[in-house]
Amino acid sequence: MEEALVGRLEAAVSRLEALTGAGTVSGGQVDNASAQDPSILAFDELVAGAVGRVSAVAGKIGAEVAEVTRVLEKAFLVGKDLLVRTKQTQKPTMDSIATFMGPLNETILEANALAEGKRSSHANHLKAAAGSLAALAWIGYTGKDCGMSLPIAHVEESWQMAEFYSNKVLVEYKSKDPDHVEWAKALKELFVPSLRDYVKKFYPLGPIWQPPGSSTSKAPSGLCRPSASLFTSSSQSSQPKTGMSAVFAEISSGKSMTQGLRTVTDDMKSKNRTDRTGVVATEGKEGKEAHKAACSSSTKSPAKLELQMGRKWIVEHHIGNKNLIIEDCDTKKSVYVFGCKDCVLQVKGKVNNITIDKCAKMGVLFKGVVAACEIVNCNSVEVQCEGSVPTISIDNTSGCQLYLSKESLETSITTAKSSEINALVPDANSDGDWAEHSLPQQFIHAFRDGQFTTSPASHSGG
């Protein structure tokens, strides 16, 4: 088995070396001087080593995992080409950076298309690989005003979202198939620490662009603009006033308030109408259904992701949104999540407290909280804490997966009227694996010595 794995790894490395040595990646020419740059040589080693290990294991798994891993290989090769071009290009403006990053954005969209397609038995693999590629966007860092964290922090933050799905792979296949576990571990090592350490060593403050006015500098080449980009910014268009704003605008316009009103004649008055009888007609079944549908559609609440009063983040009524992100965090702010379904929320800083209420198939990933994380009236939720959390409260919830980091192992977990609660903690006997613990939901109450004593119910099978 070891010989077969070594053979696959050598084949993957050979394929990657052939691609990187070809001199062209996604239409960009790599000159000899740039190819000998220490940072480019180190990136080649990263691709041959860390990316090669992911590819070798993916080849053993096959199917969609191998396909999305090939897209991951392509993304790293495109990233190398962009790094070479940064040394030959003046720093792009906010308008031209999307064009410069076009090839990488197209590759990321290709991976996202695989992850968001039809239902797959490898859905978590696809989402982990596709989500991790956002880490390569650090190549487009142009300064503190570009709306992105510093490159090192960006790589770490991007992997955190992908790790949410990578952890699911580790838990699902821990006792089923070691190849899937090895793939998930290799994927993590590719980004943290391999890519993070590479960026820390060569580009801690971002890419090195060609100085302005240099005789060899050139503007970013004209590439096809992707349909969706990590760097595109939308400007708000002026919208006509609606609701009470329109009313007040009309009042202040000075126009006559009765302008355009019709005169009511005698035959239009209700007492003189012959087409009305005063008998209330019974409403048919179809009418009732239509009325019910109209009422339900009119009462549907809009989705929200906003900071209210500068202290409380409100996340409400989102459906199928896997990219909910809260970045403006501090220990005085709280987060309230309500009525969301099939979504993933990432809280990128430490906050005072987090409440998850009436959500289904919801994933929440957060740095840490000062007070408590509360899960109320939920169904099938997953919560992952990367820092510390003093208290976790679970009430009236069916199905909850808690991923606790080493810093949060001292947390106090309170449950009430809840079932199927599992806590996953780092496995002390295996690096990168999770140990799963089921929290009891059945208890035995016995009257002894004048009082009731309560203990968890334990089951044993022959």
Side-chain angles (χ1 to χ4, degrees):
M1 182 179 293
E2 292 182 357
E3 293 179 357
L5 178 59
V6 171
R8 290 179 180 274
L9 181 57
E10 290 177 348
V13 171
S14 299
R15 184 170 74 254
L16 291 169
E17 288 177 344
L19 288 171
T20 55
T24 58
V25 179
S26 68
Q29 298 293 332
V30 180
D31 56 41
N32 292 330
S34 299
Q36 298 303 315
D37 186 284
S39 64
I40 302 302
L41 292 175
F43 197 85
D44 285 338
E45 294 178 1
L46 172 68
V47 171
V51 178
R53 284 190 290 273
V54 180
S55 301
V57 184
K60 297 168 64 177
I61 299 173
E64 299 158 311
V65 179
E67 184 178 0
V68 77
T69 303
R70 283 192 290 270
V71 179
L72 182 140
E73 294 174 9
K74 177 181 176 182
F76 271 82
L77 297 179
V78 171
K80 174 191 172 180
D81 182 47
L82 292 178
L83 280 176
V84 172
R85 289 175 55 210
T86 59
K87 302 177 184 299
Q88 307 166 356
T89 307
Q90 289 186 15
K91 182 186 292 186
T93 63
M94 291 301 295
D95 293 331
S96 62
I97 187 62
T99 302
F100 180 81
M101 296 294 291
L104 179 61
N105 287 328
E106 290 175 353
T107 308
I108 293 175
L109 290 174
E110 183 180 348
N112 289 338
L114 292 175
E116 297 173 358
K118 60 182 181 181
R119 290 183 176 272
S120 167
S121 59
H122 301 108
N124 291 323
H125 300 71
L126 301 179
K127 292 177 181 178
S132 66
L133 293 183
L136 290 172
W138 70 267
I139 300 172
Y141 182 84
T142 57
K144 61 181 181 180
D145 297 328
C146 71
M148 185 191 303
S149 302
L150 283 166
I152 299 173
H154 176 78
V155 172
E156 293 177 337
E157 292 168 0
S158 299
W159 170 249
Q160 287 166 7
M161 179 60 76
E163 189 176 24
F164 183 81
Y165 297 105
S166 175
N167 287 339
K168 291 185 177 183
V169 176
L170 290 173
V171 172
E172 181 180 357
Y173 290 93
K174 181 179 179 180
S175 57
K176 292 169 56 178
D177 192 334
D179 290 338
H180 293 264
V181 175
E182 187 179 353
W183 181 88
K185 290 183 177 180
L187 183 67
K188 179 177 181 178
E189 291 173 359
L190 169 60
F191 291 94
V192 179
S194 298
L195 181 61
R196 179 197 62 193
D197 292 349
Y198 169 82
V199 174
K200 184 177 181 179
K201 181 177 181 180
F202 293 101
Y203 300 102
L205 300 178
I208 302 172
W209 304 94
Q210 186 71 248
S214 173
S215 58
T216 59
S217 64
K218 55 185 178 181
S221 58
L223 299 170
C224 296
R225 195 179 189 90
S227 58
S229 170
L230 296 172
F231 298 92
T232 53
S233 58
S234 59
S235 58
Q236 295 182 347
S237 59
S238 58
Q239 299 290 337
K241 294 182 178 180
T242 58
M244 293 306 298
S245 298
V247 175
F248 289 123
E250 185 174 353
I251 292 174
S252 61
S253 66
K255 295 180 181 179
S256 173
M257 297 299 294
T258 59
Q259 181 179 356
L261 295 181
R262 296 174 58 188
T263 302
V264 179
T265 59
D266 288 340
D267 61 324
M268 296 171 63
K269 295 179 181 179
S270 298
K271 63 180 182 179
N272 297 327
R273 295 280 297 270
T274 59
D275 56 343
R276 295 187 179 179
T277 61
V279 178
V280 179
T282 58
E283 190 175 20
K285 181 177 180 181
E286 294 181 359
K288 291 181 179 179
E289 293 296 332
H291 177 70
K292 183 178 180 181
C295 291
S296 62
S297 62
S298 63
T299 57
K300 186 177 181 180
S301 301
K304 290 183 180 179
L305 176 56
E306 62 185 22
L307 180 63
Q308 295 184 353
M309 306 296 291
R311 300 290 295 272
K312 186 175 184 179
W313 278 102
I314 300 296
V315 185
E316 291 183 345
H317 306 298
H318 286 271
I319 299 178
N321 190 342
K322 302 298 178 64
N323 296 303
L324 295 169
I325 298 176
I326 296 177
E327 295 183 337
D328 181 13
C329 304
D330 60 55
T331 55
K332 294 183 179 179
K333 292 184 174 69
S334 62
V335 177
Y336 180 69
V337 187
F338 177 81
C340 295
K341 182 178 180 181
D342 194 24
C343 297
V344 177
L345 169 67
Q346 184 178 8
V347 183
K348 290 194 172 183
K350 193 170 186 177
V351 295
N352 186 272
N353 70 285
I354 296 175
T355 301
I356 307 168
D357 188 6
K358 290 186 180 179
C359 295
K361 297 181 180 180
M362 182 75 186
V364 178
L365 173 68
F366 63 92
K367 284 282 189 181
V369 298
V370 175
C373 174
E374 300 176 282
I375 304 165
V376 188
N377 304 321
C378 292
N379 185 24
S380 299
V381 296
E382 297 185 0
V383 178
Q384 180 171 348
C385 176
E386 297 179 328
S388 61
V389 49
T391 303
I392 297 177
S393 175
I394 306 172
D395 188 12
N396 196 28
T397 293
S398 175
C400 179
Q401 295 272 89
L402 300 175
Y403 293 85
L404 303 178
S405 64
K406 292 180 180 179
E407 294 80 4
S408 58
L409 293 181
E410 300 296 325
T411 185
S412 173
I413 303 175
T414 303
T415 64
K417 296 189 295 183
S418 299
S419 60
E420 301 175 43
I421 310 299
N422 296 318
L424 295 96
V425 300
D427 192 341
N429 300 320
S430 177
D431 183 29
D433 285 344
W434 293 87
E436 185 172 3
H437 302 271
S438 297
L439 302 187
Q441 64 188 57
Q442 293 182 330
F443 300 89
I444 299 174
H445 310 280
F447 189 77
R448 295 191 182 97
D449 301 327
Q451 61 181 359
F452 276 98
T453 60
T454 301
S455 59
S458 60
H459 302 275
S460 60

